[in-house]
Amino acid sequence: MRELAVESAYVQSRLALSLRPEGWSIIVGDALLVLKSIDPDTFRCCVTSPPYWGLRDYGVAGQIGGENELDDYIENLVNVFREVRRVLTEDGTLWLNLGDSYTSGNRTWRATDKKNPAREMSYRPPTPRGLKPKDLIGVPWRVAFALQADGWYLRADIIWHKPNCQPESVRDRPTIAHEYIFLLSKSEKYFYDYEAVKEPARKPGTSRNRRTVWRIRTRPYPEAHFATFPPRLAEPCVLAGSEAGDAVLDPFFGSGTVGEVCVKLGRKFTGIEIKEEYAALARRRLGWEE
Ligand SMILES: C[S@@+](CC[C@H](N)C(=O)[O-])C[C@H]1O[C@@H](n2cnc3c(N)ncnc32)[C@H](O)[C@@H]1O
C-alpha cells in the first residue's frame, strides 16, 4: 500500500493514525475527509457496512445515518463512495452491506430498545416525500441505483439470509430476515476470484459458482453496541475481491470485523472510523492494545 498522503491541515488536525508495519492501519476521522487524503489506486477492494438511515445514533458529529432527509443520506453515501472509487485500483470492487427500514409513521422518536441500547434515537426522520407511513423505504436499492448513476457498475445483489434474525412484533407482514450486499465494480472488467468462493454442489465432492443467497447467522461482537457484521459475511467478499497481499478498505470500520478477516486471510487493510471509542475497540479486537 502506498503511504497515506495526508494533505489538508483540517484532516491532519483530526487524524489519529494507528499504522502497523504489516500494512494494517486504523484511521480515526470522517470517511469522506480521510479518503480525500489517500492516493488513487491504493485498494483492490472495499468491504463495508455504512450506518443505516435513521436507525442508530452513534452520538458523534459528522456521523452518517442521522440525516433528517433520506436524499441527504443517499447523497452523503454517494460522495463517500465516489472517493472510494477513486482510491480503488481500476479492477477494484465494492462490497456494500445495507439493510432496509420502514417509514416512521410520523413518530418523531424511537423508544429504548432494551436488547439493543444503541438503537435508541433522540429523533426519527420524517416520512420521505412520496412515501406513506408504514412504507418499506427500499433504502438499499435507492443507494444502489444512486451509485450506479454515479458511475459504478452494479454487478450483483446478494441476499444475506439471517436464520437467527431479530424477532419483530408485527402481524401484518413477514419478519425481516435478510439484508443486502451489493457487488459494485469500478470498471466493466474487474478482479473476481471465482474459484476462491465456489460453494459445494449437490453431487458430493463437486463445487459450483457461488449463488446470490448467503445463509449466515448474525454474530454480534460482544463489546459493540451497534450492528456488526459477522466475519463469515466479510470473508467471501475479501476472498473474491482481493488476492493475498492486496490492500482492503473499510471506511466505516466499527469494531473492525473487516480488519480481523484481512489479518486471517493475509491481506493489508485500512479502516476508517469516526468514533475514537469504536476505533479503540477495534484495536483491542486485533490485539493492538489492552
Ligand atoms: C454499521 S457500523 C459498521 C460495523 C462494522 N462493519 C463492524 O462489523 O463492526 C457503521 C460505523 O460507521 C461509523 N461512522 C458513522 N459515520 C461515519 C463517518 N462519517 N466516517 C467514518 N465512520 C463513520 C459509525 O461510528 C459505526 O462504527
Side-chain angles (χ1 to χ4, degrees):
M1 191 182 73
R2 293 186 197 177
E3 286 242 293
L4 300 175
V6 180
E7 284 152 13
S8 117
Y10 174 75
V11 174
Q12 224 158 15
S13 69
R14 292 202 55 198
L15 285 185
L17 292 168
S18 305
L19 300 171
R20 289 268 152 164
E22 300 89 338
W24 304 329
S25 39
I26 300 177
I27 306 175
V28 180
D30 175 71
L32 183 65
L33 294 173
V34 173
L35 283 165
K36 280 184 188 293
S37 69
I38 296 179
D39 287 344
D41 295 328
T42 297
F43 304 102
R44 197 74 183 276
C45 75
C46 170
V47 180
T48 197
S49 171
Y52 299 170
W53 183 57
L55 273 190
R56 287 182 175 77
D57 184 1
Y58 294 97
V60 55
Q63 68 179 337
I64 286 182
E67 298 81 352
N68 218 32
E69 299 290 333
L70 176 62
D71 288 348
D72 292 342
Y73 167 74
I74 295 173
E75 190 184 330
N76 285 338
L77 285 183
V78 168
N79 289 340
V80 168
F81 288 114
R82 191 177 301 137
E83 284 303 308
V84 167
R85 196 165 67 230
R86 188 184 59 77
V87 300
L88 282 180
T89 54
E90 281 308 307
D91 64 356
T93 49
L94 163 61
W95 301 76
L96 175 62
N97 167 227
L98 278 172
D100 217 335
S101 51
Y102 285 85
T103 58
S104 62
N106 291 332
R107 276 170 290 152
T108 53
W109 53 275
R110 182 196 293 281
T112 307
D113 180 338
K114 287 201 184 67
K115 282 195 202 128
N116 194 346
R119 279 199 80 160
E120 185 181 4
M121 294 286 274
S122 49
Y123 68 94
R124 267 199 96 171
T127 299
R129 252 187 314 280
L131 297 185
K132 305 169 292 305
K134 290 181 83 170
D135 262 339
L136 179 63
I137 304 175
V139 177
W141 280 104
R142 288 171 191 260
V143 172
F145 290 147
L147 293 174
Q148 192 178 47
D150 198 56
W152 287 95
Y153 289 78
L154 180 54
R155 294 293 299 138
D157 66 313
I158 296 156
I159 302 295
W160 169 20
H161 167 213
K162 305 190 247 185
N164 60 336
C165 65
Q166 287 271 344
E168 291 180 292
S169 53
V170 289
R171 294 282 180 271
D172 59 355
R173 61 167 174 80
T175 296
I176 300 177
H178 73 285
E179 292 187 16
Y180 292 90
I181 300 150
F182 293 109
L183 166 60
L184 301 116
S185 64
K186 177 166 172 172
S187 311
E188 195 176 336
K189 287 209 161 75
Y190 53 92
F191 180 77
Y192 179 86
D193 192 343
Y194 148 92
E195 289 288 343
V197 292
K198 282 207 301 205
E199 60 181 35
R202 284 226 180 95
K203 196 169 156 212
T206 60
S207 56
R208 62 184 193 186
N209 191 23
R210 198 179 185 97
R211 304 304 197 238
T212 53
V213 178
W214 299 359
R215 186 172 189 272
I216 299 170
R217 294 177 68 80
T218 61
R219 213 174 63 127
Y221 190 68
E223 285 181 64
H225 298 299
F226 54 91
T228 61
F229 51 38
R232 279 194 56 217
L233 186 75
E235 274 178 27
C237 308
V238 170
L239 280 171
S242 67
E243 295 171 283
D246 280 344
V248 176
L249 169 70
D250 182 352
F252 301 103
F253 201 52
S255 69
T257 309
V258 168
E260 187 181 83
V261 166
C262 285
V263 171
K264 179 177 159 198
L265 298 176
R267 270 63 167 177
K268 299 167 189 153
F269 74 81
T270 293
I272 306 171
E273 170 53 51
I274 202 166
K275 201 165 159 127
E276 167 54 35
E277 192 188 316
Y278 296 166
L281 169 60
R283 289 194 294 266
R284 283 199 301 280
R285 180 178 189 174
L286 293 162
W288 296 4
E289 62 183 43
E290 288 307 298

